[in-house]
Amino acid sequence: MKISLNWLKEFVEIPVDPHRLKADLIGVGLNVESFGAAGDDLIFEIEVTTNRPDCLSHYGTAREVATLYRQRLKPLEYTLRESSAPASSEASIEILDPELCARYCGRVIQGVEVKPSPEWLKQRLEAVGQRSINNVADVTNYVLMELGHPLHAFDHARLTGHKIIVRRARVGERLRTLDGVDRTLGAADLVIADAVRPVALAGVMGGEDSQISGSTRTVLLESAWFEPVFIRRTSKSQGLHTEASHRFERGADIEMAPKALDRAADLIVQLAGGEILRGALDVYPAPQQRNPIMLRRSEVQRVLGAEVSWEEIERFLRALGFEVERRGTDGWRVTPPSFRLDVSIEVDLIEEVARHYGYNRLPSRVKPAPARVTGSSVREVELKISETLVGIGYREIIPSPMIDPDENARFTDRPPVVLANPLSQEASTMRSSAIPSMVRALKWNLDRYRNDLKLSEMGRTYTNRAEGLPEEKQVLTLGLSGRRQGASVHGTEEGIDFFDLKGDVEALLEAFDLPGLAFEPAECLYHEPGLGGRFVAGQTPIALLGKLKESLARDYKLRQEVWLAEVDLDFLLKASLRHPSFKPISKFPPVERDFSLVVPETTPYSSLEAAVRGLGLEETQSIMPVDRRRSEELASGTIPGGHASLLLRVTFQSPTHTLASEEIEAASQRVLEALEPLGVRLRA
Amino acid sequence: MTLNSSMTIDVKVRNTLVDLGVLNASDVRALFQEALHTAENELMEFSRPGPSDVSQAAKVLRDRWLARKGGIVSLIDRNWLKPAPEELKPAVGAEFNALRQLVGAMLSTESLLMSFENAANEAMADLPGRTPRPTAPPDLTLPGRRRPLGSVHPVTQVMREIEDIFLGLGFSIESGPEIESVYYNFEALNIPESHPARDDWDTLYVDSQTLLRTHTSPVQIRAMEKHGAPLHIICPGKCYRHDNPDSTHATMFHQVEGLAVDTDISFADLKGTLDFFARKFFGEKIHTNFFPSFFPFTEPSGDLAISCVFCDGKGCRVCKDSGWVEVMGCGMVHPEVLRHGGIDPAQYSGWAFGLGVERFAMMKYDINDIQLFHQGDVRFLEQF
Ligand SMILES: [Zn+2]
């Protein structure tokens, strides 16, 4: 809302400079964004919150200024020169739906000359952002800006039967509004009609046919009050937001209707000549009453934590237009004015007091919450994961989970959540897999010549369900591409492979107590066949990892191989972190034994390790495959085809004594025995 | 097959020279040098203070190299020398004899004890028959060998910083669904469809009853329903708006909301706590300024501005010359909202706030484009 300082001064004296005024208005909740010169005037740009339609006018703003500086607000009194002919003989008003139109006032002005407005009026309207049309239309806009009440001027001659009927539209009735749009109306629309057809969309916009034109001689001026919720609905359904609907949907002042009408009639006669017919036509079937509210001083104290004096509370409220009567020892009976529909309960009054008392004058205290033992384990786990990821080189990303449904479908069978009003096709679905977001992030960087990438995301996936809210699952995604180590004087470059990804997932899972944790190769929609697998905890798969399928990589135009993992965060957040339990450090030396083995290629390494661990030898400290080569990699005939050589290093150490060579020999023998059933034998 | 430099000597001695791709005399020499250096390094390792049972450790080391069966020297004899191609035999034989002598001397009982008693370097220098090694030190001005660390997203960093401040004040963390019902996102927060205030939240809908939450406030209602009063919580998380993306608007962004409900809570607690928070986050020198605003779910409602951190309140582009920057909305919880949470507003009162995490991060790190947060560009991420 643009407010002219000169205009404001017509209603109240302002004893401060504009900078101070700006700060003080902000202090009472009128957010002045800026002010600037316009000729000899200053224009304040004020952001008015939706609860304060009364401040969408100069007069309403003046009331706040008057309250701020203890100034008198100029009362609104208009004495009109009326002709002897009664208005009632020239027009009649009928409200068929008093629920939606609680009041309709009209005046008839005869003999006007419609012409351009005088300079002062044009300038003022322009200064507050309104376009000048003609003297009559400009007056209605002027009064709107001044008093905040929307008005409409009809060409009296165009009203068939000189009648105004406020009614619901009949299905299929048509109206061309002032914006030139032909609108087909329905029973949900409220119209102002003459004897035969609609002439205006009530509270929103007038009709083109009955608008003021150069040939207009008699004006019928409308000043009405329409029900806010209904106007909002009409404005929405017609896609039409106007200065009038903006105010009516926020709640106009029903008692302002006749005053604004008189103010406008007076101005029209001044600018366009003519005479005002005697009497305002005022249909107001059920005069509105505001319910009084009890305000307790103790409640003011409870909510604000401050002792505000009786006198101050009364002064603020009265200056703002409230009727205030002391009641009992603790308070008042307060009746809000007709222009403050936003005030209906005690705490609303307390806000009024607080606004003018000044938020910055209110006391301030810091009181920590009562100590409580809370299960903050989720955050603990998140921090642990985050710490591990940073340590092993992952940069965290936070992509938007809104993606293209077709893209989503290439990574998962789970149904995503489709948006009804998306901003674009690419962001029309809440993803049911987090992998596409990761692939996109990798691509973004690869396309920008960043080659070595380790990215992570802790986010959610969203899966549609037949009933209830969608299922939201927390998921950790890892994305890897490029080199483990770049070329430098310290070594040659090494590319990333599956085991980099697997090692990172292992490092992550190591922090948790996961009974039955095991890895198994597995197929997955988006993995390259044979280069993907999963970790399971007992029967539950908790992590999927592998290389992005080549066909997908091609479609994304990725320059490099990409490795991806998704980890079930919900599972990890519920799992317990491994609780360290100290084991005494052995004082006795470890002994390494190397087994040079020949292993059938079909026997996975994991089964060897499981067999050795299965022995339960207390001395077995670690088992490490040190070297593995397939028969093709060795000189021919060294080992049989279909086999691989494997150098297995087992470290033995006892917590109680130095292992004797016989003990080591015995343990080694048992290791070999355990491996034998798997077709494993010592290399000759 | 090419020589794998990462293979340990233990692996190499189990392979033949052919397997290892050693094909000429100079490769043979290099391989034996490597074996000798490994022995020297292990001796140096042994001589450092460590094993309590010196004689046992000495035996282990000696066995490893010199054991008749399975010792490294004997494996070299078996795998390198014996199957060596005829043309390399003389070179391999000479190297093998030299190695056997040197290692034998290095690992003799006397030598081991002496090296253990002396400091490691001196022991090495005194060793008889040690082959001279290049003495020129490496160029230490070369860059270090880096193991790149990862990084935590700036939004997460800021969020955790905010969380930490409130956790320190005794608040706990609550979360809720991002895809919400219209009831929790609007109705329970006193924002009926019929009120123009509803238009302040441009909303992405799933259907008429389901939407992407426009703020984390629904979590407040859910927490009130679940825990009742008293309650001190913060709700961090993702939110969504039907906003065309530009440098200050993102369709997805993060909020932290806070809620305190108790029997003895007033606007003074709101002011004190948020002033404490703002100064803890932005620095103790800043000033706070509370002024009235409007939110349907609070009454009285306010905005908190801080003195501009870029110009110290003198006025600049960031604060539009006002010296103040709005950082969050706040207010006393509307009695209707408490009722929707199942809490009696006659007995309890509360205050709440909501802030945009990206905005905080933008102020903290002087970032001018909100889109940067969500692109995943490492050129951005590596700066934090
Ligand atoms: Zn500034």
Side-chain angles (χ1 to χ4, degrees):
Chain A
M1 174 82 197
K2 287 182 161 62
I3 294 288
S4 142
L5 189 62
N6 287 346
W7 205 338
L8 211 50
K9 283 177 177 164
E10 291 177 12
F11 299 108
V12 67
E13 262 192 61
I14 301 174
V16 297
D17 69 57
H19 290 277
R20 183 63 203 274
L21 178 62
K22 176 187 171 191
D24 289 341
L25 286 174
I26 291 172
V28 295
L30 290 177
N31 189 12
V32 180
E33 290 175 324
S34 60
F35 64 85
D40 64 342
D41 201 358
L42 275 182
I43 305 298
F44 284 71
E45 186 67 60
I46 302 183
E47 189 195 2
V48 180
T49 52
T50 48
N51 60 328
R52 295 299 303 275
D54 63 305
C55 286
L56 292 169
S57 69
H58 285 76
Y59 193 68
T61 307
R63 186 182 292 111
E64 290 289 333
V65 174
T67 310
L68 256 173
Y69 304 120
R70 299 174 183 243
Q71 299 295 319
R72 179 170 172 273
L73 179 69
K74 192 185 151 200
L76 300 177
E77 283 155 8
Y78 306 105
T79 41
L80 299 184
R81 264 185 318 110
E82 298 178 321
S83 73
S84 53
S88 54
S89 60
E90 287 300 322
S92 68
I93 295 168
E94 194 181 355
I95 300 175
L96 295 184
D97 201 332
E99 293 277 303
L100 303 184
C101 176
R103 188 171 199 179
Y104 197 109
C105 311
R107 275 191 180 274
V108 180
I109 306 161
Q110 277 180 336
V112 297
E113 188 191 346
V114 178
K115 57 186 178 186
S117 291
E119 251 350 270
W120 70 265
L121 178 56
K122 280 186 186 169
Q123 275 173 15
R124 205 163 243 195
L125 284 178
E126 224 164 78
V128 297
Q130 300 296 307
R131 194 169 51 88
S132 172
I133 303 162
N134 58 51
N135 51 1
V136 174
D138 286 359
V139 164
T140 60
N141 279 334
Y142 185 86
V143 174
L144 174 70
M145 292 298 140
E146 182 172 85
L147 303 177
H149 200 87
L151 301 170
H152 185 66
F154 293 102
D155 184 337
H156 184 257
R158 311 287 299 178
L159 299 176
T160 311
H162 300 161
K163 270 191 172 173
I164 289 288
I165 302 167
V166 186
R167 60 165 169 84
R168 298 277 189 140
R170 299 185 188 110
V171 178
E173 263 186 325
R174 295 177 70 85
L175 171 69
R176 174 176 287 194
T177 41
L178 281 171
D179 54 2
V181 176
D182 282 311
R183 296 174 190 275
T184 306
L185 307 175
D189 295 306
L190 187 73
V191 295
I192 313 300
D194 63 13
V196 291
R197 70 210 158 113
V199 293
L201 197 55
V204 182
M205 191 178 263
E208 195 179 78
D209 188 57
S210 58
Q211 71 176 313
I212 302 297
S213 69
S215 59
T216 302
R217 290 290 166 266
T218 303
V219 172
L220 184 123
L221 206 53
E222 161 198 300
S223 182
W225 189 94
F226 301 105
E227 205 277 321
V229 174
F230 189 82
I231 294 299
R232 176 171 159 75
R233 211 170 291 147
T234 306
S235 155
K236 286 228 163 235
S237 71
Q238 291 291 345
L240 198 52
H241 188 91
T242 60
E243 293 280 354
S245 72
H246 190 73
R247 284 164 178 81
F248 281 128
E249 70 175 18
R250 281 162 173 71
D253 177 7
I254 203 164
E255 302 306 333
M256 181 61 87
K259 289 179 207 163
L261 181 70
D262 286 359
R263 169 67 167 150
D266 188 31
L267 269 176
I268 286 171
V269 173
Q270 281 178 41
L271 302 178
E275 54 180 17
I276 305 165
L277 298 195
R278 180 165 49 80
L281 307 166
D282 186 354
V283 184
Y284 190 10
Q288 220 180 62
Q289 294 258 305
R290 292 306 308 272
N291 292 327
I293 304 163
M294 297 311 296
L295 174 64
R296 292 160 293 167
R297 195 157 165 265
S298 56
E299 188 67 4
V300 175
Q301 162 97 46
R302 180 173 91 113
V303 174
L304 301 182
E307 224 167 294
V308 185
S309 71
W310 289 88
E311 293 69 30
E312 255 186 314
I313 291 174
E314 288 170 9
R315 184 177 78 74
F316 297 145
L317 292 176
R318 287 202 175 109
L320 290 169
F322 293 80
E323 280 173 39
V324 182
E325 282 173 63
R326 276 211 201 181
R327 277 292 161 96
T329 53
D330 186 34
W332 304 265
R333 183 177 192 266
V334 181
T335 310
S338 56
F339 49 84
R340 290 301 301 274
L341 296 180
D342 61 309
V343 175
S344 58
I345 57 175
E346 188 176 23
V347 73
D348 296 334
L349 294 170
I350 295 172
E351 180 174 63
E352 293 306 292
V353 171
R355 283 198 307 121
H356 279 277
Y357 184 81
Y359 281 13
N360 287 320
R361 268 175 77 198
L362 290 169
S364 170
R365 75 170 172 181
V366 189
K367 191 184 67 164
R372 202 154 69 94
V373 179
T374 52
S376 60
S377 62
V378 166
R379 192 167 191 271
E380 216 175 282
V381 173
E382 271 173 10
L383 290 176
K384 180 75 196 173
I385 292 172
S386 175
E387 194 178 84
T388 305
L389 290 173
V390 170
I392 58 180
Y394 283 88
R395 296 200 185 279
E396 188 192 6
I397 60 167
I398 308 185
S400 164
M402 284 179 270
I403 66 170
D404 187 308
D406 295 337
E407 191 178 348
N408 187 72
R410 306 192 68 175
F411 294 88
T412 178
D413 300 327
R414 291 191 301 270
V417 180
V418 180
L419 299 179
N421 60 334
L423 279 147
S424 66
Q425 171 69 18
E426 303 88 78
S428 60
T429 308
M430 294 296 276
R431 67 184 187 192
S432 55
S433 165
I435 293 291
S437 313
M438 178 55 73
V439 174
R440 282 212 168 265
L442 290 167
K443 177 178 168 54
W444 174 281
N445 287 293
L446 289 173
D447 287 350
R448 283 157 185 80
Y449 307 104
R450 294 302 294 248
N451 303 322
D452 303 324
L453 300 166
K454 282 185 123 180
L455 303 179
S456 70
E457 189 209 343
M458 281 198 241
R460 296 186 189 185
T461 60
Y462 314 80
T463 308
N464 211 8
R465 281 195 281 219
E467 261 172 64
L469 291 175
E471 182 187 24
E472 295 183 25
K473 286 183 67 64
Q474 301 189 80
V475 58
L476 166 69
T477 321
L478 303 181
L480 259 171
S481 189
R483 296 160 303 175
R484 179 186 314 138
Q485 182 186 301
S488 81
V489 290
H490 304 306
T492 47
E493 106 176 6
E494 295 169 17
I496 278 169
D497 63 25
F498 180 80
F499 298 98
D500 289 281
L501 180 65
K502 189 181 180 197
D504 290 344
V505 176
E506 284 169 347
L508 203 81
L509 298 181
E510 205 171 64
F512 297 88
D513 190 16
L514 299 170
L517 180 67
F519 175 84
E520 57 195 34
E523 295 296 312
C524 151
L525 201 53
Y526 61 87
H527 284 161
E528 184 65 17
L531 284 175
R534 62 186 191 180
F535 281 95
V536 294
Q539 296 302 308
T540 321
I542 56 170
L544 266 176
L545 52 157
K547 184 182 170 188
L548 179 66
K549 223 187 210 174
E550 269 160 30
S551 58
L552 279 165
R554 250 195 321 276
D555 292 348
Y556 276 98
K557 299 196 171 61
L558 299 177
R559 287 192 288 109
Q560 285 175 191
E561 293 178 350
V562 155
W563 302 86
L564 300 158
E566 50 182 316
V567 182
D568 185 340
L569 253 191
D570 282 324
F571 189 91
L572 290 189
L573 293 174
K574 268 180 254 140
S576 32
L577 283 172
R578 203 161 40 76
H579 183 72
S581 164
F582 173 71
K583 280 201 262 344
I585 297 161
S586 174
K587 289 183 296 219
F588 304 95
V591 179
E592 284 175 359
R593 269 290 168 270
D594 285 353
F595 298 89
S596 184
L597 305 171
V598 180
V599 183
E601 287 229 35
T602 48
T603 306
Y605 167 76
S606 55
S607 63
L608 271 59
E609 183 170 333
V612 177
R613 292 220 182 273
L615 288 171
L617 291 175
E618 189 196 22
E619 303 84 35
T620 310
Q621 274 279 307
S622 73
I623 305 167
M624 176 58 70
V626 179
D627 185 52
R628 181 179 188 273
R629 301 215 222 152
R630 313 219 313 279
S631 56
E632 304 91 290
E633 295 174 275
L634 295 167
S636 69
T638 324
I639 57 170
H643 284 66
S645 74
L646 178 75
L647 181 62
L648 191 68
R649 178 166 299 161
V650 182
T651 308
F652 298 106
Q653 186 178 29
S654 161
T656 55
H657 62 285
T658 299
L659 291 172
S661 47
E662 303 75 51
E663 289 178 281
I664 296 165
E665 215 42 63
S668 301
Q669 207 46 52
R670 294 202 55 196
V671 167
L672 288 172
E673 282 162 14
L675 293 176
E676 214 181 332
L678 298 167
V680 176
R681 54 180 178 74
L682 269 180
R683 197 171 161 184
Chain B
M1 200 193 92
T2 53
L3 195 67
N4 186 340
S5 61
S6 69
M7 212 186 272
T8 64
I9 202 73
D10 301 76
V11 177
K12 287 180 178 169
V13 298
R14 283 176 169 81
N15 287 285
T16 66
L17 295 179
V18 176
D19 282 347
L20 293 168
V22 171
L23 301 172
N24 55 46
S26 88
D27 284 353
V28 168
R29 170 138 189 89
L31 191 61
F32 277 90
Q33 281 293 316
E34 191 188 336
L36 181 61
H37 290 166
T38 308
E40 285 173 352
N41 287 338
E42 289 181 13
L43 177 64
M44 195 141 66
E45 206 52 51
F46 163 80
S47 66
R48 292 217 174 99
S52 49
D53 188 343
V54 177
S55 62
Q56 173 63 25
K59 180 181 179 325
V60 169
L61 184 59
R62 220 168 34 240
D63 283 352
R64 169 168 164 73
W65 285 88
L66 301 172
R68 221 172 277 275
K69 202 180 155 209
I72 290 177
V73 171
S74 90
L75 287 170
I76 290 176
D77 183 24
R78 195 177 84 192
N79 294 329
W80 292 359
L81 181 61
K82 294 218 168 82
E86 279 310 314
E87 66 277 16
L88 286 180
K89 269 257 166 74
V92 178
E95 289 290 345
F96 176 69
N97 285 329
L99 179 81
R100 187 164 55 180
Q101 276 179 23
L102 286 170
V103 173
M106 266 163 58
L107 302 181
S108 69
T109 309
E110 306 80 62
S111 158
L112 283 170
L113 283 176
M114 184 172 69
S115 74
F116 183 73
E117 280 155 13
N118 294 335
N121 288 336
E122 291 161 10
M124 284 299 289
D126 289 350
L127 280 176
R130 181 176 171 274
T131 40
R133 282 210 285 167
T135 47
D139 179 358
L140 300 183
T141 65
L142 287 168
R145 189 178 282 120
R146 297 295 296 269
R147 302 270 172 263
L149 288 178
S151 55
V152 176
H153 195 282
V155 163
T156 308
Q157 289 187 34
V158 166
M159 198 131 83
R160 288 201 192 136
E161 195 178 337
I162 294 167
E163 288 169 6
D164 282 336
I165 297 171
F166 282 99
L167 287 171
L169 286 167
F171 284 61
S172 48
I173 298 176
E174 285 285 325
S175 63
E178 289 169 23
I179 302 179
E180 257 296 1
S181 67
V182 169
Y183 172 77
Y184 279 109
N185 196 77
F186 287 131
E187 254 109 72
L189 292 164
N190 207 24
I191 317 170
E193 207 275 319
S194 60
H195 197 277
R198 178 73 77 91
D199 297 344
D200 292 345
W201 291 269
D202 292 315
T203 309
L204 285 156
Y205 285 92
V206 172
D207 56 46
S208 65
Q209 288 314 307
T210 319
L211 44 70
L212 305 192
R213 68 178 179 195
T214 57
H215 38 208
T216 55
S217 321
V219 182
Q220 298 187 7
I221 303 284
R222 289 178 178 275
M224 283 191 267
E225 287 177 347
K226 191 163 132 201
H227 305 294
L231 189 64
H232 294 80
I233 55 163
I234 53 169
C235 323
K238 287 189 173 78
C239 307
Y240 303 85
R241 296 273 168 94
H242 193 275
D243 266 339
N244 280 307
D246 63 23
S247 66
T248 52
H249 295 87
T251 342
M252 183 275 291
F253 61 98
H254 296 75
Q255 265 199 345
V256 175
E257 299 221 341
L259 171 73
V261 179
D262 211 335
T263 47
D264 173 32
I265 279 193
S266 74
F267 203 86
D269 297 295
L270 176 159
K271 281 187 67 178
T273 313
L274 292 182
D275 175 79
F276 173 86
F277 163 70
R279 286 189 297 125
K280 191 118 175 130
F281 187 89
F282 290 106
E284 55 189 331
K285 279 187 306 201
I286 61 118
H287 300 280
T288 56
N289 187 11
F290 291 85
F291 52 91
S293 186
F294 169 69
F295 307 106
F297 33 85
T298 49
E299 189 84 14
S301 299
D303 274 322
L304 168 61
I306 59 162
S307 52
C308 179
V309 289
F310 296 99
C311 63
D312 286 331
K314 287 183 204 76
C316 70
R317 185 184 47 81
V318 176
C319 57
K320 293 182 194 138
D321 291 323
S322 70
W324 295 96
V325 182
E326 270 178 54
V327 292
M328 64 174 98
C330 54
M332 300 300 291
V333 183
H334 197 284
E336 218 33 58
V337 173
L338 288 175
R339 256 179 230 122
H340 284 135
I343 292 172
D344 178 8
Q347 197 189 347
Y348 290 99
S349 51
W351 63 267
F353 74 90
L355 62 85
V357 182
E358 275 83 353
R359 207 172 123 67
F360 267 52
M362 287 169 91
M363 291 178 66
K364 191 179 170 88
Y365 302 118
D366 203 6
I367 297 165
N368 57 12
D369 183 358
I370 197 171
Q371 301 301 324
L372 286 167
F373 290 111
H374 311 128
Q375 287 161 346
D377 195 317
V378 295
R379 296 169 302 179
F380 171 77
L381 299 172
E382 68 195 3
Q383 296 183 37
F384 301 95

